[in-house]
């Protein structure tokens, strides 16, 4: 067994019961186009491959690839892409596979938000995603308006996907144990017609960033420079409300009410939405 590398975020799953529960949550079926991000030593790969018959895995660490290939040889057909998951064009992969992908992965936590947003950028190519993440991140992804942890990540994720937290995983299930609790979440992209117009993406990002950047202020104050109180009211939102009480659809209405000419320069990409 390889010595886990900290800089690659390697925490290998070893607890059989946890692995079985994750695989059961994914419910692989023969013929599924499963793509695993970060297969490591194959804790999830091998049971998924056993059912699916063939699948793809994207792994960055060169040292893990040949041992994994050898372990998978008697189980099924495993294609390993040796790459940074952030650089893999999932839409092209789905086209090559002839249909939507099912993504899975116990994600490396150091890069989990960028990987999440990279996947969301290819949402039309994805049937669903099952990811292990820090529990605290899953809590924020699934949070409802009004709660303490409801924020940018909740809004941006919930506008793109149905978010279902599935199970909590304690540090002892991994080698080495991470310092935090983990959780598995299922993300199912909403139909294209139910997601915000891609043309609105930068404005939406700017509005959500501004609103939660000063979450204790009223929207009138937080959105100063983008929308005034009358425009906020015209969008159907109380201008005295705070960002943390506004449902995701409310932010779409606010973004639609903005003038694109007011878009701040140098808006950060959505994958920084981890506050
Ligand atoms: N799936 C295995 C398991 O559950 O035991 C390993 C999970 S470990 C938390 C994360 C895996 O992602 C490691 O194998 C690591 O080498 C790989 N990895 C790290 N950064 C990556 C990246 N940018 N792209 C693809 N894989 C990456």
């Amino acid at each position: 067994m390889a010595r886990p590398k900290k800089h690659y975020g390697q925490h290998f799953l070893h607890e059989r019961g946890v692995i079985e529960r994750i695989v059961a949550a994914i419910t692989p079926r023969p013929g599924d186009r499963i793509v695993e991000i970060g297969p490591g030593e194959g804790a999830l790969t091998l049971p998924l491959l056993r059912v699916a018959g063939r699948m793809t895995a994207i792994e960055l660490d060169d040292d893990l690839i040949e041992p994994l290939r050898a372990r998978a040889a008697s189980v099924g057909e495993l294609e390993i892409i040796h790459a940074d998951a952030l650089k893999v064009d999932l839409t092209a992969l789905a086209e090559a596979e002839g249909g939507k992908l099912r993504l899975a992965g116990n994600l490396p936590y150091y890069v989990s938000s960028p990987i999440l947003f990279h996947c969301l950028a290819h949402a039309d190519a994805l049937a669903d995603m099952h990811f292990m993440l820090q529990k605290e991140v899953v809590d924020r992804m699934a949070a409802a308006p009004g709660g303490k942890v409801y924020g940018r990540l909740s809004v941006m994720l919930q506008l793109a996907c149905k978010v279902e937290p599935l199970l909590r995983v304690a540090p002892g299930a991994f080698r080495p144990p991470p310092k935090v609790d983990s959780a598995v979440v299922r993300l199912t992209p909403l139909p294209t017609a139910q997601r915000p117009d891609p043309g609105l993406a930068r404005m939406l990002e700017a509005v959500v960033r501004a609103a939660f950047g000063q979450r204790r202020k009223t929207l009138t104050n937080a959105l100063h420079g983008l929308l005034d109180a009358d425009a906020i009211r015209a969008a159907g939102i109380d201008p005295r409300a705070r960002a943390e009480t506004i449902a995701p659809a409310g932010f779409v209405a606010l973004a639609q009410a903005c003038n694109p000419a007011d878009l701040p320069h140098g808006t950060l990409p959505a994958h920084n939405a981890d506050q």
Side-chain angles (χ1 to χ4, degrees):
M1 276 197 208
R3 195 189 162 90
K5 295 178 186 145
K6 216 174 165 183
H7 62 281
Y8 280 143
Q10 292 177 354
H11 295 277
F12 298 124
L13 270 170
H14 69 83
E15 216 171 280
R16 184 189 287 257
V18 170
I19 294 168
E20 283 171 358
R21 284 167 70 202
I22 297 172
V23 172
I26 297 172
T27 324
R29 290 166 290 256
D32 277 355
R33 300 174 187 89
I34 299 178
V35 176
E36 186 186 2
I37 297 177
E41 297 180 326
L44 296 172
T45 324
L46 302 182
L48 290 172
L49 185 60
R50 204 162 284 130
V51 181
R54 59 182 294 272
M55 63 178 268
T56 303
I58 305 169
E59 175 58 61
L60 185 57
D61 184 357
D62 198 23
D63 292 340
L64 295 175
I65 290 180
E66 281 318 313
L68 180 61
R69 208 185 295 285
R71 229 168 276 144
S74 60
V75 180
E77 196 185 316
L78 178 65
E79 192 201 333
I80 305 179
I81 301 176
H82 179 199
D84 178 346
L86 290 175
K87 304 220 167 97
V88 176
D89 181 341
L90 297 169
T91 302
L93 191 57
E95 274 164 19
E97 290 284 324
K100 291 193 184 197
L101 308 176
R102 302 194 68 202
L103 295 190
N106 168 14
L107 294 186
Y109 295 166
Y110 77 99
V111 69
S112 61
S113 282
I115 289 179
L116 262 179
F117 282 94
H118 174 70
C119 296
L120 290 184
H122 294 271
D124 284 328
L126 308 177
D128 58 19
M129 297 162 256
H130 289 81
F131 290 139
M132 173 99 75
L133 295 155
Q134 296 178 38
K135 181 178 177 295
E136 170 259 329
V137 175
V138 172
D139 288 346
R140 286 196 278 129
M141 288 162 74
K148 244 189 181 166
V149 298
Y150 180 70
R152 289 171 54 210
L153 190 64
S154 332
V155 172
M156 301 313 278
L157 253 289
Q158 291 171 29
L159 284 174
C161 297
K162 181 174 168 201
V163 180
E164 296 171 87
L166 299 176
L167 55 124
R168 184 178 179 156
V169 182
F174 304 84
R175 181 182 62 88
K179 291 198 177 72
V180 292
D181 274 346
S182 302
V184 177
V185 65
R186 177 186 295 134
L187 302 173
T188 311
L190 298 173
T192 314
Q194 287 175 29
R195 296 203 303 268
D197 182 337
L200 200 64
R202 286 190 65 220
M203 190 50 98
L204 188 58
E205 167 67 11
V207 166
V208 174
R209 179 178 290 276
F212 284 104
Q214 313 197 48
R215 58 188 292 147
R216 264 179 226 118
K217 291 196 173 177
T218 63
L219 286 174
T220 308
N221 286 330
L223 298 182
H224 179 75
L226 285 170
L227 289 173
D228 63 19
D230 287 343
I232 296 172
R233 202 174 293 111
I237 309 285
D238 179 354
R240 293 162 306 175
R242 294 182 179 151
E244 61 205 28
T245 65
I246 306 299
F251 288 99
V252 177
L254 290 170
Q256 281 166 337
C258 288
N259 179 353
D262 294 333
L263 199 61
H265 291 295
T267 304
L268 292 170
H271 68 244
N272 286 312
D274 50 7
Q275 286 125 39

